Amino acid sequence: MDSYTIGQAARLLGVSVDTARRWADAERFPTRREGARRMVDGPDLAAFCVQVAREGAEDEEVPATSARNAFPGIVTAVKLGTVDAQVEIQAGPHRVVSLLTREAVEELGLVVGARAVARVKATSVFVDRA
C-alpha cells in the first residue's frame, strides 16, 4: 500500500503543507507516525481527496452534464483565430488547453482572468503510475 508524507499529501490536494497539517490535526484524515514523519495511507488520502472535491462542488452551481471530469480554474490565455480559438485554463496544478470555436469563446465571455470549468469526456484516457 502506498503511503504519503504530509508534504506529498498537500501537493496532491493542491493546498499548502500548513493546511494539510491543520486538516490532519483536526482529524479530517488519519495519519500515523513513521519515525519523525507523519504518514497518510493511500486509500485514506484518496477518500479525503474525493470528500474535498465534493465539498468544493457544493459551493458552486453545477450545470446538468454527463461529463464527470470537471477542472475548475482560471483562464490564463485566449488565442482567437478567424473561426477557431484556443483557451488555456490553469486548474490547480494542471494546465488544460481546449480548442473550440471563436463564437463559443465570445458567447461564454472567456477572457484572461475569467473563472471557467474545463469538462472532459473522453473515450480514451491514458494513466501512468507516478
Side-chain angles (χ1 to χ4, degrees), residues 6 18-31 38 48 51:
I6 292 290
D18 287 337
T19 296
R21 279 192 192 113
R22 281 193 300 275
W23 285 348
D25 291 343
E27 299 180 355
R28 291 197 62 195
F29 59 87
T31 61
R38 280 171 70 178
F48 185 66
Q51 177 187 338

Side-chain angles (χ1 to χ4, degrees), residues 94-114:
H94 308 289
R95 177 178 163 255
V96 180
V97 179
S98 179
L99 301 175
L100 54 163
T101 65
R102 179 184 181 123
E103 180 181 13
V105 170
E106 291 169 348
E107 284 180 7
L108 291 170
L110 297 177
V111 296
V112 172

Side-chain angles (χ1 to χ4, degrees), residues 9 17 38 59 81 91 118:
V17 175
R38 280 171 70 178
D59 297 338

Side-chain angles (χ1 to χ4, degrees), residues 4-24:
Y4 301 91
T5 65
I6 292 290
Q8 291 170 324
R11 280 190 295 282
L12 291 168
L13 289 162
V15 298
S16 71
V17 175
D18 287 337
T19 296
R21 279 192 192 113
R22 281 193 300 275
W23 285 348

